[in-house]
Amino acid sequence: MMKITLFALIISAGILTSCNVNAKYRKQGNHWFEDCKVPNDKEDEKLYINDGLKEYEELFKDHDAAAMAEKYTQDCVYMHQDIGIIEGREAVREAYQEMFDSGKYSLKILKDDYLELLVLKTGDMQVKADVRYFDKDNNSMGVSRLLVTLKPVEDGYQTYQKTEFTA
């Protein structure tokens, strides 16, 4: 049974961290990190944030709304300043499809601007990031600020909550 989460955006998110430095990062499946382990230090955070963000960028560019939605928990909440609050994986899939239909072709996580990871006492992770969207001709379509909460699941992390607003 597949489990999922993101953002992260960025996000899913995004976006992301877990596993120790020697653990193998898995790109397959519906979760972001293998074994539900949290990073032990700043080097772990850097390694897994970069891997997770790269995967998020690649998934977005594939324009597969269903694959994006699979990175979210079934009971996820996505708050967006333009579309309001949506709940559930199917609503997230529809939101991504609308985003792709609006002409957003790709995105880039702006790592130097606002990237931060915080491991909460609950075991959840929060990732903050700025994201720039581009159209098919690589023209900027604006910047959004993301706050993504990743929830530990059986075999990794899934996006439980994502908040996005124009920076």
Side-chain angles (χ1 to χ4, degrees):
M1 180 179 191
M2 297 179 83
K3 308 223 173 183
I4 336 176
T5 299
L6 163 75
F7 131 329
L9 243 1
I10 281 298
I11 116 238
S12 87
I15 311 177
L16 322 166
T17 164
S18 147
C19 308
N20 63 40
V21 177
N22 296 321
K24 182 181 177 191
Y25 174 75
R26 252 196 291 178
K27 214 172 159 178
Q28 309 268 323
N30 60 356
H31 57 285
W32 289 108
F33 298 102
E34 187 175 11
D35 297 333
C36 249
K37 293 181 182 174
V38 297
N40 296 319
D41 56 33
K42 290 294 181 191
E43 286 305 309
D44 281 4
E45 289 180 15
K46 183 178 176 184
L47 175 66
Y48 294 108
I49 284 176
N50 288 338
D51 286 347
L53 296 178
K54 182 178 177 187
E55 182 181 3
Y56 183 67
E57 290 172 353
E58 291 170 1
L59 278 172
F60 191 93
K61 194 166 184 178
D62 288 344
H63 288 185
D64 186 345
M68 294 295 288
E70 286 297 311
K71 297 288 186 179
Y72 288 75
T73 62
Q74 281 288 64
D75 61 343
C76 64
V77 177
Y78 188 162
M79 294 168 275
H80 191 283
Q81 100 181 29
D82 296 332
I83 61 175
I85 299 172
I86 59 175
E87 297 181 50
R89 192 179 289 155
E90 180 58 24
V92 167
R93 187 201 60 74
E94 291 171 8
Y96 273 107
Q97 190 58 56
E98 288 176 21
M99 199 179 304
F100 300 144
D101 293 345
S102 75
K104 289 183 178 174
Y105 180 75
S106 64
L107 61 80
K108 183 71 179 161
I109 309 293
L110 306 175
K111 296 176 187 165
D112 295 333
D113 295 343
Y114 183 68
L115 185 61
E116 181 181 311
L117 172 104
L118 178 64
V119 179
L120 305 175
K121 289 181 181 181
T122 61
D124 294 354
M125 286 186 272
Q126 283 189 337
V127 179
K128 298 177 188 176
D130 284 345
V131 177
R132 180 174 300 277
Y133 293 100
F134 298 93
D135 65 14
K136 199 168 194 167
D137 297 323
N138 209 33
N139 297 311
S140 177
M141 295 183 74
V143 175
S144 288
R145 183 155 282 174
L146 305 177
L147 174 61
V148 179
T149 301
L150 301 172
K151 185 178 215 117
V153 293
E154 184 178 312
D155 56 0
Y157 281 82
Q158 293 181 308
T159 301
Y160 173 67
Q161 189 173 51
K162 180 177 176 182
T163 305
E164 181 172 350
F165 61 94
T166 304

